[in-house]
Amino acid sequence: NARRLDQSLEGVALEKGSWTSYSACGIPYLVSGAVTGGVERLVARAPQAFRDDHRIDVRLRHEVTAVDLDAGRVEVRNHEHGRTFWLGFDHLHLGTGARPLRPDLPGIDLPSVHGVQTLGDAQHLLAHAADRSCSRVVVVGGGYIGLEMAEAFVTRGMAVTLVEGSDHVMRTR
């Protein structure tokens, strides 16, 4: 939108993860097997497309670790090469994303407890689900994604228990 007002603007987008512009809503379909070919099939636009089509330099596995507003710069950690550097800016937009609320329960960080917010989460979940010893799944949350995940595991032939805190699933208010 800003480039429509000023064609000379240059953009840099820093993404801590390994993918950008992907269909998180497609993760249950990847888990069920309806989408084949790995998590890359859910990527709508790769970094090169942003560069070619929009002149936005997308840098994956880069995390902003500090902001110096007075100097107009951000400290950036390049996770792939293990180095930190400063990057200047004229305008800064922060898109911090969201983290799910995870209850402080014993075992919440065990390897068999998974979230499904990112494609990395999907990779870990798929690897665990592919283990032949995994036959029972508990899905916590009866919203859209929770129900789709429950359906995905049923499609995989697993016994699924759905846990929802409200009095019914798909509560929308």
Side-chain angles (χ1 to χ4, degrees):
N1 289 338
R3 186 158 298 124
R4 278 185 256 176
L5 299 174
D6 183 352
Q7 292 294 316
S8 68
L9 283 178
E10 295 179 22
V12 177
L14 305 168
E15 167 57 43
K16 181 180 176 183
S18 299
W19 298 276
T20 187
S21 192
Y22 60 86
S23 170
C25 294
I27 292 173
Y29 302 101
L30 184 70
V31 171
S32 74
V35 172
T36 60
V39 296
E40 295 296 330
R41 292 289 310 269
L42 298 181
V43 175
R45 191 174 299 131
Q48 192 61 47
F50 283 102
R51 290 181 191 103
D52 295 344
D53 301 340
H54 305 287
R55 294 187 348 259
I56 298 172
D57 178 10
V58 175
R59 301 180 191 182
L60 299 177
R61 294 172 294 284
H62 283 69
E63 178 182 16
V64 173
T65 55
V67 177
D68 184 343
L69 292 175
D70 294 331
R73 64 185 190 159
V74 292
E75 183 182 58
V76 180
R77 178 74 178 157
N78 178 333
H79 291 285
E80 189 168 334
H81 296 106
R83 67 183 191 98
T84 301
F85 62 94
W86 288 94
L87 181 66
F89 64 84
D90 295 318
H91 301 281
L92 177 65
H93 172 80
L94 298 175
T96 60
R99 291 196 176 130
L101 207 54
R102 296 188 87 171
D104 186 19
L105 298 172
I108 194 75
D109 293 321
L110 289 173
S112 60
V113 178
H114 301 274
V116 289
Q117 289 73 43
T118 69
L119 292 186
D121 294 338
Q123 278 186 319
H124 291 115
L125 180 62
L126 281 171
H128 192 88
D131 180 359
R132 298 255 182 236
S133 66
C134 182
S135 61
R136 296 179 300 137
V137 175
V138 175
V139 174
V140 179
Y144 292 108
I145 300 298
L147 290 174
E148 289 173 347
M149 289 304 298
E151 179 183 27
F153 286 117
V154 167
T155 300
R156 291 182 72 94
M158 298 176 177
V160 177
T161 301
L162 179 70
V163 177
E164 169 56 44
S166 73
D167 57 354
H168 60 278
V169 299
M170 291 294 294
R171 185 176 180 128
T172 56
R173 49 180 193 118

